[in-house]
Amino acid sequence: IGRVLDQVTQPDHAPLLARSVADHKIAVRAYVLERLTTFRLPDMAPVFRHARKDRDEEVSFLAALGLASAGDFEAFEDIFERASANWKELAPRLAVSLPGVRGEKATVRVLDKMKSGGENAEVTGLRLLRSVAEKSAASRVAIYLDSESHNIKKEAINALRVIVDGKPALPLKKITVFMVIKLARDWKKRNQ
């Protein structure tokens, strides 16, 4: 049913869909929030904000993603924490919702959060920056190319590919340590 609804519902159906955000079935609430998120409509922010109070934790988190898609990064801490713990599962959803908050304000929040954590926070932040950072943030991302950590360097390369070159948010998957070193060196030359 979800695939059929995805085919027939469009952004102009958002107000009709929003009526079902309070449905008594969790599956209905979850579907509606996910579908509304794909539209990236700022007008839906109040709907998402209300759904954040849902008693179901997953529905509440879907509302957090919806808020981001609507241009409100109020639920940043929850999103960062969940992304840090469960990136593989969340990556496709984040790629849909986070471009709604793309810009300097979101970039600064992610970079600040990266400074306050260790390697895991830096890796998570670089992954999130693929979706929220604009080209002007490239120099602030490029500093992570000097990291001692292979994982951080790899994520910095992946972030720069998206931010600077406009590549899809899909990362380079299987790259060796030597490839990371070469790519990092190439990116440093480009950012000079």
Side-chain angles (χ1 to χ4, degrees), residues 43-76:
D43 293 350
M44 289 291 112
V47 173
F48 293 125
R49 201 169 287 113
H50 179 72
R52 285 279 292 145
K53 300 171 190 163
D54 197 283
R55 62 189 171 279
D56 183 85
E57 187 177 311
E58 190 60 27
V59 171
S60 176
F61 183 71
L62 291 172
L65 295 178
L67 261 179
S69 78
D72 186 331
F73 218 14
E74 174 184 308
F76 166 70

Side-chain angles (χ1 to χ4, degrees), residues 48-120:
F48 293 125
R49 201 169 287 113
H50 179 72
R52 285 279 292 145
K53 300 171 190 163
D54 197 283
R55 62 189 171 279
D56 183 85
E57 187 177 311
E58 190 60 27
V59 171
S60 176
F61 183 71
L62 291 172
L65 295 178
L67 261 179
S69 78
D72 186 331
F73 218 14
E74 174 184 308
F76 166 70
E77 293 294 330
D78 291 343
I79 292 171
F80 194 96
E81 183 180 314
R82 189 76 86 86
S84 186
N86 202 358
W87 178 257
K88 285 185 181 181
E89 180 188 317
L90 281 181
R93 287 178 174 167
L94 294 170
V96 169
S97 62
L98 292 183
V101 290
R102 178 172 310 212
E104 184 62 19
K105 189 174 177 182
T107 300
V108 168
R109 284 193 76 182
V110 172
L111 288 168
D112 286 348
K113 185 76 171 175
M114 290 168 63
K115 291 175 189 170
S116 66
E119 181 173 341
N120 189 41

Side-chain angles (χ1 to χ4, degrees), residues 132-171:
V132 303
E134 294 176 324
K135 209 171 191 170
S136 61
S139 62
R140 291 175 280 170
V141 173
I143 62 171
Y144 290 95
L145 294 169
D146 292 326
S147 174
E148 297 285 323
S149 166
H150 167 73
N151 288 330
I152 293 172
K153 275 185 185 180
K154 182 175 79 171
E155 293 304 334
I157 291 165
N158 284 325
L160 288 167
R161 288 178 64 244
V162 176
I163 296 166
V164 176
D165 290 342
K167 301 280 186 192
L170 303 171

